[in-house]
């Protein structure tokens, strides 16, 4: 099951700087799908455009009606006093409150140390395999 980031700005996949107590950057990417989309768009933008042209509209459509039976085409559904629907919906059960990517973005030193450790381990494993195969 796909996991979604439980966030007010999750639809855009970003958090603005005021979302964190002491921001170092203006924007943070939230969730693996956001990071993957950004990298694919940088490496092969035409590929992503074709994929979204084929699947984008169908992936955003549903036959389910809103629980209230109302829609928010021209005005918010929660405009009545005392109601606030917030950023919740059908993906609430699939969302989670933590993002590995957001944690790495907030702690760049730890992210660099982790990347270095992964690279060193991969290099050691590669060298060991090269040594045993010869």
């Amino acid at each position: 099951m796909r996991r979604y980031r439980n966030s007010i700005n999750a639809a855009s996949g970003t958090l603005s700087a005021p979302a964190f107590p002491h921001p170092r950057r203006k924007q943070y990417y939230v969730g693996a799908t956001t990071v993957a989309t950004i990298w694919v768009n940088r490496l092969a933008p035409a590929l992503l455009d074709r994929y979204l042209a084929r699947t984008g509209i169908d992936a955003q459509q549903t036959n389910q009606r809103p629980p209230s039976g109302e829609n928010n085409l021209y005005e918010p559904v929660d405009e009545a006093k005392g109601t606030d629907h917030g950023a919740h919906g059908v993906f609430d059960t699939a969302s989670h409150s933590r993002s590995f990517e957001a944690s790495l973005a907030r702690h760049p030193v730890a992210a660099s140390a982790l990347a270095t450790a992964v690279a060193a381990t991969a290099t050691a494993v590669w060298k060991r395999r090269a040594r045993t195969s010869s």
Side-chain angles (χ1 to χ4, degrees), residues 125-134:
V125 168
W126 179 71
K127 284 184 177 182
R128 177 177 282 176
R129 285 188 180 174
R131 204 176 324 136
T132 57
S133 64
S134 52

Side-chain angles (χ1 to χ4, degrees), residues 23-66:
R24 292 188 181 102
R25 299 187 322 198
K26 290 182 180 180
Q27 203 171 46
Y28 291 91
Y29 301 127
V30 178
T33 54
T34 301
V35 173
T37 302
I38 289 169
W39 277 103
V40 169
N41 194 38
R42 286 181 184 173
L43 298 173
L47 179 68
L48 186 61
D49 288 342
R50 278 191 209 141
Y51 172 75
L52 290 175
R54 286 188 202 156
T55 63
I57 293 175
D58 290 336
Q60 296 178 24
Q61 302 297 317
T62 179
N63 293 329
Q64 295 177 343
R65 300 280 302 159

Side-chain angles (χ1 to χ4, degrees), residues 77-95:
V77 175
D78 60 353
E79 197 168 286
K81 284 194 168 213
T83 63
D84 182 12
H85 293 258
H88 302 286
V90 296
F91 295 113
D92 273 355
T93 57
S95 69

